[in-house]
Amino acid sequence: MDDIAELRRALAVARRARDAGKHPFGATLVDAAGRLLMEQGNAFDAEGRVGHAETVLARRACAAFTAEELARTTMYVSAEPCAMCAGALYWAGIGRVVYAMSEARLKRIIGPHPDNLTLDLPCRTVLASGQRAVEVVGPLLEDDAEAVGLHDGAWER
């Protein structure tokens, strides 16, 4: 699979979320053959503070695919999964996650915004504590993720 191309698709989902007035985050789910299975923008507006793109996508994926199928999928995300999202994709059984922007960099950009009090806790730390291996790749395209202006003005109060 081409991780860079797939991350760009997740960034495009984040852009569509932002253009729709939602928080600028996006996630996609791709199978081992590189086929797009699902995509999800941030759902903060509908699901409140737990409506992160990755968590919503993990729930949808659990309803649509078996554990065996999900073990062979990759979730691509515009920003590193927070602790909640890392837990959701772990419990969903997704086998791999690739992210663009690190949680630490996102925290520097957003600051202490009440809608996203970012946990500077690497998803690798959360996932390494589990009993099932989840491959983590990232950050990739971190400069691009910031440069595309997804977060410019999104966190002003």
Side-chain angles (χ1 to χ4, degrees), residues 23-106:
H23 290 166
F25 300 103
T28 62
L29 187 68
V30 176
D31 70 12
R35 289 183 296 262
L36 177 67
L37 301 174
M38 295 181 163
E39 61 181 40
Q40 179 68 52
N42 188 274
F44 187 90
D45 57 333
E47 298 196 25
R49 290 179 299 280
V50 296
H52 295 193
E54 303 97 302
T55 296
V56 175
L57 184 61
R59 266 197 321 272
R60 290 178 51 218
C62 277
F65 301 102
T66 67
E68 293 77 22
E69 291 169 320
L70 288 173
R72 296 185 302 274
T73 63
T74 300
M75 184 183 288
Y76 290 91
V77 293
S78 58
E80 181 175 5
C82 70
M84 174 184 68
C85 293
L89 70 92
Y90 174 82
W91 286 109
I94 293 165
R96 185 170 182 258
V97 61
V98 180
Y99 63 90
M101 183 183 293
S102 70
E103 184 84 346
R105 188 156 177 180
L106 183 64

Side-chain angles (χ1 to χ4, degrees), residues 125-157:
T125 302
V126 175
L127 294 168
S129 67
Q131 296 182 60
R132 179 181 59 76
V134 178
E135 181 183 354
V136 179
V137 178
L140 301 174
L141 298 180
E142 199 164 27
D143 291 335
D144 291 9
E146 186 172 351
V148 295
L150 288 174
H151 298 279
D152 292 346
W155 306 103
E156 294 174 3
R157 288 179 248 197

